Amino acid sequence: MSLTSLMAERTAHGRPIRVGLIGTGKVATLFLAQARHLPALHVAAVADSDMERAHTALALAAWPPAKAVARSLSEACDNTATWVSDDAMGMLERPGLEAVIIACDAAANAAAYALAALDQHIHVIMASIEADALVGPFLAEQARAKGLIYSLAYGDQPALICELVDWARACGFQIAAAGRGIAWKPGYHGLTPDTVWTHLGISPQQARAKDMDARSATASLDGSRAALELASVANATLLAPPPLGLLFPPCGTHDLAHVFRPQSQGGRLAHMGVVEAASCLETDGRAVIGGLRWGVFVTFTTPSAHAAMAFDEYGLSTDDSGTYAARWRPHRLAGLELALSVANVCLRGEHSGSPRAFAADAITIAKRDLRAAEVLDGIGGMTIRGQLLSAQAAQAADALPLSLAKGAVLRHPIAEGHAIALADVLLPDDAQGLLDIRAKMNPP
């Protein structure tokens, strides 16, 4: 049965899906903007430590003011209203929610909320990629043990990539590569919030007018966000990280099947079955024709010569041999599509991507020469960037996970471009619980 039919059935029976939302950034606000038009969804609670930001998000989403006046979760459930709170843990401890969307920034908080939700028998939709890349395999295992679902958030690139991989495997195709687009060229590893707007060709004033954040923009361009997202994809699909980290080869959609095939076949991949990112910029900064800036892709082949003949016949983009083909989606809609995760989880009992094992990790690399006693400023900052590695390689190097880097203090100098190990830093007190969780995550 289609999702719309299942949603209509819940609406007809007066049983909308009751969902809570933690964090009210851009993704959450876009979700709210669409959720208010879906009778099958009842956003019963919204939690943010900054109440003003929560109310601003509801206002931007044109939330009916009378709906956001509930004084408790039970009152919200009784009156199909919305309770706004600054106490996310308190929200999770009250009965009534079927699922919670976790869209807060801090990985430690997001992980704690996920564990609390699972303890209360609430499904978890994780929109914090920092938390999923860090401890997602453990959280998914805990959910399965409780008969619950832990899901990536549909609309963000990891879930969209997982969807393409699932399609290809269900058709019997063999995956060469799967990944996302990115605007990257040599030199971008060193970008900082002080330099990012120049590289994007806009002024700080223009950035503010577009509600763009310098740290988020930096993380998107210096490779950190790609490392986090593709770690999540690798953990969910068991595709491998490239042996030397992400290469970001320039590639347009017409060339995906040519570039993202094994080196033995004339492509750029070390072997079959990897995650990778396609840059929409040439190495000199010129735009790639057919660049995939916001989209996702999968390249694949088949052992059947007869089936491969149909790739080009039916309109797939192929390599010169006709045996490797590509499919892609040129866009992502972030929170505008997040309701699909809620509906799939609560109506079909299906996730939209979920970690299966600890296959990959996003580790921390010095962005410049760093001094002893220097405090690392985290993702998208001045001091560090992320790099994708296999979980085995990351563990062997005792690498500092990127999502744990913020607030860490260096014990000694680290040279630019070098990986930072856990032994190289003093971590904030709240990191120990996450390290304890990661100690239970073993690579396959």
Side-chain angles (χ1 to χ4, degrees), residues 46 70 74 82 126 170 215 219 226 279 291 355 393 398 412 420 430:
V46 174
S74 60
T82 302
M126 182 59 78
R215 291 181 69 99
S279 179
D398 188 37
H412 51 76
I420 301 175
D430 62 359

Side-chain angles (χ1 to χ4, degrees), residues 273-299:
V274 301
V275 293
E276 192 43 279
S279 179
C280 64
L281 297 177
E282 301 286 1
T283 55
D284 61 4
R286 289 178 296 118
V288 168
I289 296 173
L292 199 64
R293 172 67 180 93
W294 300 109
V296 297
F297 70 90
V298 63
T299 59

Side-chain angles (χ1 to χ4, degrees), residues 31-50:
F31 164 72
L32 290 168
Q34 288 303 108
R36 66 179 295 265
H37 301 293
L38 293 169
L41 258 61
H42 173 200
V43 182
V46 174
D48 196 302
S49 58
D50 184 343

Side-chain angles (χ1 to χ4, degrees), residues 106-133:
N109 291 343
Y113 297 144
L115 289 171
L118 295 174
D119 283 344
Q120 296 298 320
H121 212 74
I122 300 170
H123 299 299
V124 172
I125 298 160
M126 182 59 78
S128 167
I129 204 65
E130 293 86 352
D132 183 75

Side-chain angles (χ1 to χ4, degrees), residues 189-190 222-224 227 244-245 361-370 376-389 397 399-403 405 410 414-421:
H189 279 329
D222 71 4
S224 296
L244 301 178
D361 209 359
I363 69 165
T364 307
I365 305 293
K367 192 174 278 190
R368 55 171 172 78
D369 290 341
L370 300 175
L376 304 183
D377 58 351
I379 299 165
M382 307 287 291
T383 57
I384 58 169
R385 62 176 176 86
Q387 179 173 305
L388 182 67
L389 276 187
L400 171 65
L402 180 62
S403 297
L410 288 177
I414 300 289
E416 177 184 347
H418 283 229
I420 301 175

